[in-house]
């Protein structure tokens, strides 16, 4: 019996409640919380400038951001498994434990991603109709690349995993900010650099537990290339530099 057949058999035998919990776990709630916090930071930037907050567009933008992230998380889980990265350790373990099959996870991710794209197009259209503003369509182009690209492939390129993941949080910040039809100024740019460096400093820490398996499968994450000590020093330095940009954004 092949491993794929065994996984399908295990999925059929899995209780519905376990499948539901598996789908929830695959959303990677810890990262969704991070996206939510970044999105709230975008709104705070406008509020401290005493700009008018459109609650509907704010909630819509945050919803679109989280749905996009979930689609990426699902497809990333399936992609990692198909590439043999998570056979022993890594990922959320839902496919490995036979709770859901790779095809189920992949197809769910594709459906969610399509829904996220349609949601983004709708919000960009609403902003254009309300304010004759094309900013969300423009920023939507690089965001579309981020959410449709096969994310696990970035782990095969030095710094690819860290830069690509960090850019997704930066994209979330600007998507939520621009959904309010607010203008970008120097303070916002400096604050977004702070976010970029802060997230860049935090991303490698999620890979610490997977260092040995990542080495065996050929991943080129910072954790693998620099080791724990080297990665720690770089991340601390990036975090400290991030604070300088935060201070600068507060002074302008």
């Amino acid at each position: 019996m092949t491993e794929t057949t065994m996984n399908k058999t295990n999925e059929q035998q899995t209780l519905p409640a376990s499948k539901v919990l598996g789908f929830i776990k695959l959303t990677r709630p810890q990262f969704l919380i991070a996206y939510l916090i970044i999105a709230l930071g975008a709104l705070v930037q406008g509020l401290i400038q005493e700009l008018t907050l459109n609650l509907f567009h704010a909630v819509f933008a945050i919803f679109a951001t989280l749905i996009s992230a979930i689609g990426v998380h699902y497809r990333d889980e399936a992609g990692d498994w198909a590439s043999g990265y998570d056979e022993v350790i890594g990922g959320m373990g839902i496919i490995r434990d036979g709770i859901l099959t790779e095809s189920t996870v992949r197809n769910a991710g594709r459906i969610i991603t399509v829904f996220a794209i349609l949601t983004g197009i709708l919000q960009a259209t609403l902003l254009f109709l309300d304010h004759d503003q094309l900013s969300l369509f423009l920023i939507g182009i690089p965001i579309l690349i981020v959410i449709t690209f096969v994310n696990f492939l970035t782990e095969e390129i030095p710094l690819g995993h860290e830069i690509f993941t960090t850019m997704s949080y930066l994209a979330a910040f600007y998507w939520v900010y621009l959904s309010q039809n607010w203008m970008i100024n120097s303070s916002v740019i400096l604050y977004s650099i702070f976010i970029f460096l802060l997230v860049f400093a935090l991303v490698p820490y999620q890979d610490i537990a997977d260092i040995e398996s990542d080495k065996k499968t050929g991943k080129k994450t910072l954790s693998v290339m620099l080791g724990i000590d080297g990665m720690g020093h770089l991340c601390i330095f990036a975090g400290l530099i991030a604070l300088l940009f935060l201070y600068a954004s507060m002074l302008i």
Side-chain angles (χ1 to χ4, degrees):
M1 182 180 293
T2 65
E3 187 171 9
T4 301
T5 303
M6 290 177 61
N7 283 339
K8 288 183 178 179
T9 301
N10 289 336
E11 183 183 25
Q12 292 171 353
Q13 296 174 346
T14 302
L15 295 174
S18 297
K19 291 183 180 181
V20 171
L21 290 175
F23 279 117
I24 293 174
K25 190 175 181 180
L26 284 173
T27 66
R28 302 180 183 178
Q30 67 273 33
F31 297 121
L32 297 185
I33 292 173
Y35 279 108
L36 177 60
I37 291 174
I38 295 298
L40 293 177
L43 298 178
V44 169
Q45 273 295 301
L47 292 176
I48 62 177
Q49 298 176 64
E50 299 183 350
L51 300 175
T52 302
L53 175 67
N54 184 312
L55 186 59
F56 170 76
H57 280 293
V59 173
F60 200 162
I62 292 174
F63 175 75
T65 297
L66 297 182
I67 291 298
S68 298
I70 291 172
V72 172
H73 293 165
Y74 273 57
R75 291 185 294 107
D76 188 41
E77 188 81 14
D80 273 353
W81 177 259
S83 297
Y85 289 150
D86 299 335
E87 293 180 357
V88 179
I89 191 175
M92 304 308 291
I94 302 301
I95 301 175
R96 182 170 59 246
D97 295 339
I99 298 174
L100 296 168
T101 64
E102 174 201 329
S103 61
T104 298
V105 175
R106 186 186 303 278
N107 290 334
R110 287 172 175 170
I111 292 171
I112 295 171
T113 296
V114 170
F115 178 68
I117 293 171
L118 294 176
T119 301
I121 292 174
L122 176 58
Q123 181 161 38
T125 302
L126 290 175
L127 184 68
F128 175 73
L129 294 176
D130 288 346
H131 303 285
D132 195 25
Q133 178 60 259
L134 291 171
S135 57
L136 285 187
F137 280 112
L138 296 177
I139 195 175
I141 295 173
I143 290 177
L144 184 63
I145 295 173
V146 169
I147 68 175
T148 57
F149 189 72
V150 185
N151 189 39
F152 73 89
L153 291 177
T154 63
E155 296 172 333
E156 301 175 0
I157 305 170
L159 284 179
H161 168 59
E162 291 75 19
I163 295 295
F164 208 79
T165 302
T166 302
M167 288 299 295
S168 72
Y169 286 92
L170 190 64
F173 171 83
Y174 276 111
W175 179 265
V176 174
Y177 184 87
L178 290 173
S179 73
Q180 297 295 308
N181 194 36
W182 293 337
M183 298 299 295
I184 296 175
N185 53 37
S186 299
S187 178
V188 172
I189 292 174
L190 289 170
Y191 185 79
S192 68
I193 296 175
F194 156 71
I195 287 177
F196 179 89
L197 291 173
L198 179 64
V199 174
F200 180 81
L202 294 175
V203 165
Y205 282 97
Q206 66 178 312
D207 302 321
I208 290 178
D210 302 332
I211 287 181
E212 293 305 318
S213 62
D214 287 348
K215 286 181 180 179
K216 294 177 182 179
T217 53
K219 288 188 178 182
K220 294 181 176 63
T221 63
L222 271 180
S223 302
V224 170
M225 294 189 297
L226 301 179
I228 294 179
D229 289 340
M231 180 202 68
H233 293 151
L234 176 62
C235 292
I236 290 172
F237 178 75
L240 292 174
I241 295 299
L243 288 175
L244 296 179
F245 283 93
L246 175 61
Y247 301 156
S249 72
M250 296 167 66
L251 291 172
I252 294 180

